[in-house]
């Protein structure tokens, strides 16, 4: 009997009857019980055990290096240029790593589902008139939130998914590019943009370097459609070592954003609109490269002429997660210097201060009476298998259990802060919380996080994100809670989290978390300022939320030295 793997929300594409296997909850109708009239159904388990997750992360890593080299060659040939792999990686690298992670994850999931069913037919959206290639990286990020686009990816990967099983991780050759030795015009200017520093601190740092502060003005890249006939002429197969790599190279050809191919010359012509110097002495940003393709082409041109590129950490996930994000891997490969918030992993990483909280004082921030539970963004659409969170009901149920087990007086003082992007990648959580805990106070992010902190007595963070190092660095009483299967941490972080658990900061059990909150609630500061807790917090901050006595001087000296 044929079963049908459903990857689309378009019910007109579904069979009239039979057994349905849903690729995820995002394909389910709002009233799943209505399916019982015509179908039997199940929701596929797309989770990976730790061994498989590690293996395929290594596969993704080893695929990147040869594909990155060949993509640089293909783009040089297409645009009649002779630029380095680093040049093209600055422009395309964050997309390429993200896309390879995504395709490997999709292939592994599809292969597992295929093996579980003898006769399985994939049902996808109509791919005839669908757009595969995003216009740029920001557009691509939007596409990953689209059920229709995800269905196209599943459909395109489906014929090749079984070939991923034969992939053996190769020793990854790191793409840590050397700085350019070119020295053209005399460079005296520094460009600082989107550094993650508070705005006033960024302005002061710019002035101490002799440069005027700059407001972020993103030049929108051109809107150019993909040309399928032209793309068929691109040869991406040069060094393919197996069938899956051949398949993924073909997908890259079809999904490569148009800003890198058909629209690249238009992208170059927009650089003067930014009014940046041609080749400054040094460039410093934390995350502008993640959303500004015109900026990236300018950076690629400047670094090829000898400008130094310094990147800064821009989130709490960095340095902690067992699986470095595509952004962390990309940034460490292209930067001349990479400023972390305390950790060190290579000669390029420079342990520096946590950038976001420089100049902030705890005593003027957290003076309230609330238990603030900070929640993460959930995804109903499949993410990379190497990301921490999906649309997991166990995550919110973990927090719900903790809150329900609190004494009434603490529960009435509890506020749940939703993620700023709540509802964009999964169903909004506001109604879920008010249904499961009637009367719970919801912070929908209409106010700034700093204002939320002002009303806090104690913070609970249940995910690996920026909140954790920020509140630690500001010395705001904070508890951390997650299960190891949700958040896997790298070996270098384990002794630190073991110490946090030992003193009661970290909890993997929701009941234990509730009991600890109740035990310290009457005098949170007494517990937080105890010597063992203070030492554990400092142990964390030394690696992941470091404070320096004169952080702007540190950054100024680093930028001045980066090009010497």
């Amino acid at each position: 009997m044929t079963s049908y793997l459903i990857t689309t929300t378009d019910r007109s594409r579904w069979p009239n009857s039979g057994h349905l296997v849903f690729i995820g909850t995002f394909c389910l109708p709002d009233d799943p019980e209505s399916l019982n009239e015509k179908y039997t159904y199940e929701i596929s388990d797309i989770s990976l055990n730790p061994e498989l997750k590690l293996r395929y992360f290594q596969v993704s890593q080893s695929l990147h290096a040869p594909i990155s080299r060949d993509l640089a060659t293909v783009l040089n040939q297409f645009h009649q240029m002779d630029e380095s792999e680093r040049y093209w990686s600055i422009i395309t690298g964050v997309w390429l790593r993200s896309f390879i992670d995504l395709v490997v994850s999709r292939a592994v999931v599809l292969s597992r589902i295929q093996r579980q069913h003898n006769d399985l037919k994939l049902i996808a959206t109509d791919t005839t008139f669908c757009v595969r290639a995003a216009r740029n990286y920001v557009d691509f990020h939007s596409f990953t939130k689209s059920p229709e686009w995800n269905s196209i990816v599943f459909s395109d990967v489906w014929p090749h998914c079984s070939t991923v099983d034969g992939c053996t991780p190769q020793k990854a050759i790191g793409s840590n590019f050397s700085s350019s030795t070119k020295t053209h015009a005399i460079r005296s200017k520094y460009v600082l943009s989107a550094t993650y520093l508070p705005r006033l601190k960024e302005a002061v740092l710019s002035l101490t370097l002799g440069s005027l502060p700059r407001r972020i003005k993103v030049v929108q890249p051109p809107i150019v459609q993909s040309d399928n006939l032209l793309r068929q002429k691109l040869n991406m197969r040069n060094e393919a070592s197996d069938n899956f790599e051949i398949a993924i190279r073909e997908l890259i050809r079809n999904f490569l954003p148009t800003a890198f191919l058909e629209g690249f010359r238009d992208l170059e012509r927009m650089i003067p609109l930014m009014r940046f110097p041609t080749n400054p002495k040094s460039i410093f940003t934390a995350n502008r490269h993640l959303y500004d393709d015109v900026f990236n082409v300018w950076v690629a041109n400047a670094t090829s002429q000898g400008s130094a590129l310094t990147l800064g950490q821009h989130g709490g996930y960095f340095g902690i997660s067992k699986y470095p994000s595509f952004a962390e891997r990309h940034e460490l490969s292209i930067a001349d210097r990479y400023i972390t918030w305390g950790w060190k992993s290579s000669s390029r990483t420079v342990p520096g201060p946590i950038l976001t909280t420089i100049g902030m004082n705890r005593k003027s921030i957290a003076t309230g009476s609330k238990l603030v539970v900070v929640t993460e963004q959930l995804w109903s659409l499949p993410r990379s298998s190497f990301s921490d969170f999906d649309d997991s009901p166990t995550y919110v149920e973990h927090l719900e259990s903790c809150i329900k087990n609190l004494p009434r007086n603490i529960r009435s003082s509890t506020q749940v802060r939703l993620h700023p992007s709540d509802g964009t990648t999964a169903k909004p959580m506001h109604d879920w919380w008010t249904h499961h805990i009637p009367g719970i106070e919801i912070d929908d992010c209409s106010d700034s996080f700093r204002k939320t902190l002002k009303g806090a007595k104690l913070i609970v963070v249940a995910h690996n994100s920026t909140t954790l190092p920020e509140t630690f660095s500001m010395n705001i009483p904070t508890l951390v809670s997650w299960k190891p299967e949700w958040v896997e941490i790298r070996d270098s972080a384990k002794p630190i989290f073991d110490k946090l658990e030992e003193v009661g900061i970290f909890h993997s059990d929701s009941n234990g978390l509730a009991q600890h909150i109740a035990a310290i609630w009457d005098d949170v500061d007494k517990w937080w300022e105890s010597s063992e807790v203070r030492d554990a917090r400092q142990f964390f901050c030394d690696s992941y939320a470091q404070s320096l006595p004169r952080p702007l001087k540190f950054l100024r000296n680093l930028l001045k030295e980066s090009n010497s």
Side-chain angles (χ1 to χ4, degrees), residues 417-431:
R417 182 173 172 87
L418 302 179
H419 191 276
S421 298
D422 179 65
T424 62
T425 52
K427 291 181 179 178
M429 293 304 298
H430 186 285
D431 291 346

Side-chain angles (χ1 to χ4, degrees), residues 516-528:
H516 185 69
I517 293 170
I520 67 172
W521 185 254
D522 287 343
D523 198 342
V524 170
D525 282 348
K526 180 180 179 181
W527 166 77
W528 185 250

Side-chain angles (χ1 to χ4, degrees), residues 157-184:
V157 173
W158 177 248
H160 315 287
C161 66
S162 61
T163 62
V164 76
D165 297 334
C167 284
T168 302
Q170 305 297 318
K171 184 177 180 181
I173 301 173
S175 301
N176 292 320
F177 308 109
S178 300
S179 302
S180 173
T181 57
K182 296 179 182 179
T183 54
H184 285 246

Side-chain angles (χ1 to χ4, degrees), residues 98-117:
S98 178
F99 186 73
I100 292 175
D101 281 0
L102 182 146
V103 172
V104 170
S105 300
R106 299 290 191 273
V108 174
V109 165
L110 289 172
S111 178
R112 290 185 66 216
I113 295 172
Q114 195 176 64
R115 290 196 302 273
Q116 293 166 4
H117 299 82

Side-chain angles (χ1 to χ4, degrees), residues 28-185:
L28 284 172
D30 291 335
D31 53 342
E33 59 276 3
S34 65
L35 296 172
N36 296 326
E37 299 174 6
K38 299 171 63 175
Y39 308 103
T40 57
Y41 73 92
E42 63 183 278
I43 301 171
S44 59
D45 179 9
I46 62 174
S47 61
L48 300 181
N49 65 45
E51 291 76 18
L52 279 178
K53 190 173 181 180
L54 176 60
R55 177 189 173 190
Y56 287 110
F57 178 76
Q58 293 169 340
V59 165
S60 182
Q61 287 270 74
S62 59
L63 283 169
H64 173 266
I67 291 175
S68 175
R69 288 194 299 270
D70 278 1
L71 181 59
T73 300
V74 165
L75 291 174
N76 273 328
Q77 291 171 347
F78 181 83
H79 296 300
Q80 298 182 338
M81 298 171 68
D82 184 24
E83 297 291 352
S84 66
E85 184 187 347
R86 184 198 190 196
Y87 175 95
W88 288 112
S89 187
I90 288 171
I91 296 168
T92 68
V94 71
W95 173 83
L96 182 63
R97 288 181 186 271
S98 178
F99 186 73
I100 292 175
D101 281 0
L102 182 146
V103 172
V104 170
S105 300
R106 299 290 191 273
V108 174
V109 165
L110 289 172
S111 178
R112 290 185 66 216
I113 295 172
Q114 195 176 64
R115 290 196 302 273
Q116 293 166 4
H117 299 82
N118 293 327
D119 187 8
L120 187 64
K121 180 180 179 181
L122 184 134
I123 304 298
T125 191
D126 185 352
T127 62
T128 308
F129 304 105
C130 290
V131 175
R132 287 169 171 78
R135 291 173 296 180
N136 49 63
Y137 181 72
V138 171
D139 202 30
F140 166 77
H141 188 63
S142 297
F143 277 19
T144 62
K145 303 174 186 178
S146 161
E148 292 77 18
W149 186 84
N150 275 278
S151 183
I152 295 170
V153 175
F154 280 120
S155 178
D156 287 357
V157 173
W158 177 248
H160 315 287
C161 66
S162 61
T163 62
V164 76
D165 297 334
C167 284
T168 302
Q170 305 297 318
K171 184 177 180 181
I173 301 173
S175 301
N176 292 320
F177 308 109
S178 300
S179 302
S180 173
T181 57
K182 296 179 182 179
T183 54
H184 285 246

Side-chain angles (χ1 to χ4, degrees), residues 459-476:
I459 303 289
V460 172
V461 180
H463 53 284
N464 183 12
S465 72
T466 311
T467 302
L468 175 56
E470 284 189 336
T471 56
F472 270 51
S473 72
M474 292 185 285
N475 200 22
I476 296 173

